[in-house]
Amino acid sequence: MRKEVEALDIADVTANWVNKQALEARTEQRIRELADLAHTPLFFGRLDYGGGDHGGHHFYIGRRHVHDAVGEPMVLDWRAPVSQPFYQASRTVPLGVDLRRRFGYTGGELTAYEGERLTGPAGPDAAPRTSRLLQEEIERPRVGPMRDIVATIQPEQDEIVRSGLGGTVCVQGGPGTGKTAVGLHRVAYLLYAHRERLARTGTLVIGPNRSFLHYIEQVLPALGELEVAQATVADLVAHVEVRSVDSPAAALVKGDARMAEVLRRALRSYITPPTEPVVVERGSRRWRIPAYELAEIVTELQERDIRYGAAGEALPQRIAHAVLVRMEEAGEAPDDRVQDAVARHHAVKAAVKAVWPRVDPAKLVLRLLSEPEFLAAHAEGLLGAEEQRAIVWAKPARGVKSAKWSAADAVLIDEAQDLVQRTPSLGHVVLDEAQDLSPMQYRAVGRRCSTGSATVLGDLAQGTTPWATAGWREALAHLGKPDAVVEELTAGFRVPREVISYASRLLPHMSPGLREVSSVREAPGSLDVHRVPGGAEDGAGTADAEGSAEDGSEGGSQGGAEDVDTGGALDAAVVGACRTALLREGSIGLIAADVRIPALAAALTAAGLPYLDPGRETTAESRLTLVPASLAKGLEYDYVVLDEPAAVVDGEPDERTGLRRLYVVLTRAVSGLTVVHRRPLPHQLAAPGLRESTL
């Protein structure tokens, strides 16, 4: 197929150079689409039909359509309607399928296959409750890029993937339920089913960090798509350079949706009611528009509540129209050219500048954060005095370029920018890890799909910011999609049942009402909890865990790494657990509270164990990654060693956020989790019957 495209001669079919350029670009794109992907087979499944319209036929299912030399299909694109039974058929509803076959590959070579008989009496090849081949693919030790996901999509996920373009879908799913897989499949499916429309309006995938974007760069080609725009929320609002970090209190206020109204009020305050008439001279005639009539025009524009910039551009035309009405009353016959000339008249331009001046969005936010009186005037009835003090800069900046903007400030500037000029909308946006966004960040994303649709992915239990989403309905309202459909995924595939059950002990204390993930994978021995002697439960180290009363310390994250592991016994135990994990195949993640990272890095170096930083790709020679708890979200490892859970909780500004952070790090393991602690486990995690070993 690739050679056919490469051999095309378009010289005789292009009427002009524009057509030639367009055809050449499309041909080059097609050649890229047909490039071989290393270790990625052309098909991963097969459907055999025993009756119906397709009776006696079988179809191979793959990442793209493949035909033979005469154009007969050999492999069907997984997104085509005829491929849907591969994901949806079951013994209860076989959809005409007699046998469904899955193929397993290692390094591009066929290593296994599994047949599921969907019709006839149940026999030895009848479909199992959960595909063993699927489980083996998930459990397969991985070194290098993350696993291919197209062959593992499940029925409940497939229904979401193939839902229409017109509506917004929100997917709530616990760890390992395949939220990201659903989002990536959905964008690939929509581009297949609505390619022309989305080619005009655009598609965007928004991820939480650069590591995630690197991941989807690898996965999307295997789904049949090469060109999908990707960004973080910070990329979307990068109007200024971010050079500072807000306090939690300031970030909470700046991220509140009330700030949108504060900005709107502040922007509208620049509008000044006219007090002088406008006099336009044309030839020997003078045309006068009195101040009261100008005020009526300004009031009408304000009441329409259109964008500030658009109204400012309309105002000179409205004044010019009033002049033309007087010209016509005087017997003249002006046309559009006369109106445009009047709108450009210096008197009109001067009046517009005085009444409706241009406003720079960044300067508007700068003034709000630098002038307490200006902020108070426009936050009255919205923000309390304490909230206003939290966001006003102690040392006002002299200008936009010298200001030390924070990430939340950039979002405010984006809001102000939209108040001045409407933000262009895309056809579809996929938003992952949405639970961590503030209301103002939701508004920033919503502006990018105001006339399109969105796929929102997240887990309320993994919200680890002070402003984390409390409920999806509220979040979707901020996004501008209050009528979106909310779906919940509860079947877990990545995290072993023993591990997810252990982590789910935290749910009632941090996210009551959420359903526990039910893992389809049993892995006896996948959870180990080890206690290092010397902690508070042994009658020692209480001051280390809780802080010293003499120096006023409150313990936790304020005390430093020495308070957690005074004698280095914990460090040694953690290094030992890493050595044990490295005896197995696959990737190893050592996750710890941020404050513990320097001490553990030194201990690993002293022990001669090389390690990687998060985001760097593992290799056969380097399989251990040292991960701060704050960066663990979205990552996964075959085996995880978790250092001191209590320190992870203490590293956050409040207990609920700390427990959510702990829930995240407990659920990063695909095959096994080892917990090593010296301090007592958080009481929400400890439970009667928990078996621990003492190191």
Side-chain angles (χ1 to χ4, degrees):
M1 290 171 66
R2 186 170 60 249
K3 288 180 179 178
E4 287 176 359
V5 180
E6 291 172 341
L8 288 176
D9 184 1
I10 62 174
D12 296 332
V13 297
T14 54
N16 52 56
W17 71 270
V18 176
N19 289 349
K20 182 175 183 293
Q21 294 291 325
L23 279 173
E24 286 180 349
R26 182 65 187 94
T27 301
E28 291 173 1
Q29 180 183 359
R30 181 62 176 159
I31 292 172
R32 290 197 304 271
E33 291 173 352
L34 292 172
D36 292 318
L37 299 176
H39 309 308
T40 302
L42 287 177
F43 61 88
F44 51 78
R46 195 180 86 182
L47 294 174
D48 290 10
Y49 285 87
D53 294 339
H54 304 305
H57 291 84
H58 64 261
F59 301 103
Y60 286 91
I61 312 300
R63 289 152 186 79
R64 56 184 148 205
H65 173 80
V66 180
H67 63 251
D68 62 16
V70 296
E72 288 295 319
M74 299 180 67
V75 179
L76 302 179
D77 193 303
W78 68 272
R79 297 167 290 186
V82 73
S83 301
Q84 190 168 6
F86 181 78
Y87 301 103
Q88 292 285 342
S90 65
R91 285 197 63 85
T92 305
V93 185
L95 300 176
V97 177
D98 182 32
L99 179 71
R100 171 172 51 203
R101 179 153 290 171
R102 302 178 190 272
F103 299 94
Y105 295 86
T106 301
E109 293 186 358
L110 179 66
T111 54
Y113 67 88
E114 174 185 79
E116 302 174 37
R117 186 71 60 182
L118 302 183
T119 59
D125 61 347
R129 182 175 180 272
T130 300
S131 165
R132 183 59 198 164
L133 197 64
L134 169 62
Q135 292 193 47
E136 289 175 352
E137 165 60 18
I138 293 172
E139 296 166 0
R140 176 172 54 84
R142 289 157 296 111
V143 174
M146 300 182 81
R147 69 173 57 84
D148 180 19
I149 58 178
V150 67
T152 62
I153 202 75
Q154 297 299 295
E156 63 174 348
Q157 300 168 327
D158 187 66
E159 290 178 1
I160 299 171
V161 167
R162 297 176 190 266
S163 56
L165 176 62
T168 290
V169 179
C170 175
V171 182
Q172 157 65 38
T177 55
K179 299 182 299 297
T180 297
V182 166
L184 297 182
H185 278 74
R186 180 156 166 73
V187 70
Y189 172 77
L190 291 176
L191 284 168
Y192 173 86
H194 308 279
R195 190 168 300 279
E196 290 188 8
R197 177 177 172 183
L198 290 177
R200 295 192 304 270
T201 56
T203 306
L204 176 66
V205 177
I206 302 174
N209 50 53
R210 284 289 159 190
S211 296
F212 174 86
L213 297 184
H214 177 63
Y215 164 51
I216 64 175
E217 285 175 355
Q218 297 174 306
V219 171
L220 280 171
L223 299 181
E225 293 300 329
L226 295 178
E227 298 179 2
V228 176
Q230 304 146 25
T232 64
V233 174
D235 294 332
L236 299 181
V237 300
H239 305 291
V240 292
E241 182 183 359
V242 174
R243 298 191 294 163
S244 69
V245 178
D246 284 315
S247 67
L252 198 61
V253 177
K254 290 178 180 180
D256 195 290
R258 292 173 294 169
M259 287 300 299
E261 178 61 19
V262 174
L263 287 165
R264 195 191 72 83
R265 291 181 182 180
L267 179 61
R268 295 285 168 170
S269 72
Y270 283 81
I271 302 171
T272 305
T275 58
E276 299 290 334
V278 172
V279 179
V280 177
E281 296 183 2
R282 283 186 60 82
S284 61
R285 303 292 298 271
R286 300 172 74 231
W287 307 99
R288 181 177 182 275
I289 307 300
Y292 77 85
E293 190 171 340
L294 292 176
E296 290 175 355
I297 295 173
V298 171
T299 300
E300 182 187 353
L301 287 173
Q302 286 180 285
E303 290 176 348
R304 289 176 62 189
D305 202 27
I306 59 178
R307 295 297 193 279
Y308 183 91
E313 293 171 0
L315 181 56
Q317 289 289 337
R318 296 298 302 275
I319 296 174
H321 176 73
V323 172
L324 259 66
V325 169
R326 282 163 171 73
M327 289 181 176
E328 291 171 348
E329 290 173 347
E332 297 189 16
D335 56 17
D336 291 344
R337 291 174 297 178
V338 175
Q339 180 168 330
D340 290 339
V342 172
R344 294 192 300 269
H345 193 277
H346 65 86
V348 175
K349 292 168 69 175
V352 171
K353 184 176 181 180
V355 173
W356 207 292
R358 294 181 181 273
V359 178
D360 179 82
K363 289 182 179 179
L364 175 66
V365 176
L366 180 72
R367 187 179 177 190
L368 276 172
L369 300 179
S370 300
E371 301 179 18
E373 298 80 8
F374 186 67
L375 174 62
H378 303 296
E380 183 179 358
L382 293 171
L383 303 179
E386 192 66 31
E387 291 175 313
Q388 294 178 36
R389 282 191 291 271
I391 64 175
V392 171
W393 290 336
K395 185 179 179 181
R398 288 181 294 180
V400 171
K401 292 186 177 180
S402 63
K404 292 185 177 180
W405 299 104
S406 69
D409 297 334
V411 179
L412 294 179
I413 294 173
D414 190 73
E415 179 80 28
Q417 181 79 47
D418 185 71
L419 289 169
V420 173
Q421 202 73 38
R422 182 183 295 276
T423 304
S425 174
L426 298 164
H428 192 78
V429 169
V430 176
L431 174 63
D432 202 6
E433 298 292 352
Q435 74 280 345
D436 276 338
L437 269 60
S438 70
M440 291 299 286
Q441 287 175 316
Y442 276 114
R443 290 175 63 87
V445 174
R447 287 190 283 277
R448 271 75 185 179
C449 57
S450 58
T451 60
S453 57
T455 301
V456 181
L457 313 167
D459 180 12
L460 297 178
Q462 296 186 62
T464 51
T465 56
W467 50 84
T469 301
W472 288 123
R473 282 299 165 199
E474 177 185 347
L476 292 167
H478 293 311
L479 191 70
K481 308 293 183 183
D483 299 326
V485 175
V486 179
E487 302 281 0
E488 186 172 7
L489 299 176
T490 58
F493 302 93
R494 175 172 54 81
V495 185
R497 185 174 303 172
E498 293 75 11
V499 175
I500 194 66
S501 296
Y502 183 59
S504 295
R505 297 177 183 182
L506 302 175
L507 284 177
H509 306 281
M510 63 184 195
S511 299
L514 281 187
R515 294 169 60 187
E516 179 180 338
V517 171
S518 176
S519 178
V520 301
R521 296 173 50 223
E522 285 192 59
S526 58
L527 173 65
D528 292 308
V529 181
H530 300 303
R531 179 173 59 85
V532 179
E537 63 266 76
D538 296 312
T542 304
D544 295 337
E546 304 297 337
S548 169
E550 295 180 1
D551 64 9
S553 166
E554 295 181 0
S557 61
Q558 304 299 318
E562 297 80 13
D563 292 338
V564 179
D565 189 24
T566 304
L570 179 60
D571 293 348
V574 169
V575 170
C578 290
R579 287 191 185 278
T580 300
L582 286 167
L583 296 176
R584 305 182 177 102
E585 290 186 272
S587 58
I588 314 297
L590 169 55
I591 307 179
D594 292 30
V595 72
R596 287 276 293 147
I597 294 300
L600 291 175
L604 291 173
T605 301
L609 291 180
Y611 62 89
L612 302 170
D613 296 324
R616 293 183 58 189
E617 196 170 289
T618 57
T619 64
E621 295 73 29
S622 198
R623 297 186 288 122
L624 175 62
T625 303
L626 178 58
V627 186
S630 61
L631 299 181
K633 188 173 297 180
L635 303 178
E636 61 180 59
Y637 302 93
D638 288 300
Y639 295 91
V640 167
V641 176
L642 172 58
D643 167 89
E644 200 65 276
V648 173
V649 176
D650 289 346
E652 302 299 328
D654 58 80
E655 183 181 69
R656 188 193 72 163
T657 305
L659 292 176
R660 288 183 169 183
R661 182 75 69 188
L662 180 58
Y663 182 76
V664 169
V665 300
L666 284 169
T667 54
R668 299 304 95 200
V670 175
S671 296
L673 169 68
T674 299
V675 178
V676 183
H677 70 102
R678 179 172 176 267
R679 293 170 52 186
L681 292 170
H683 70 87
Q684 299 91 343
L685 192 61
L690 175 65
R691 294 192 303 172
E692 289 189 304
S693 62
T694 302
L695 297 177

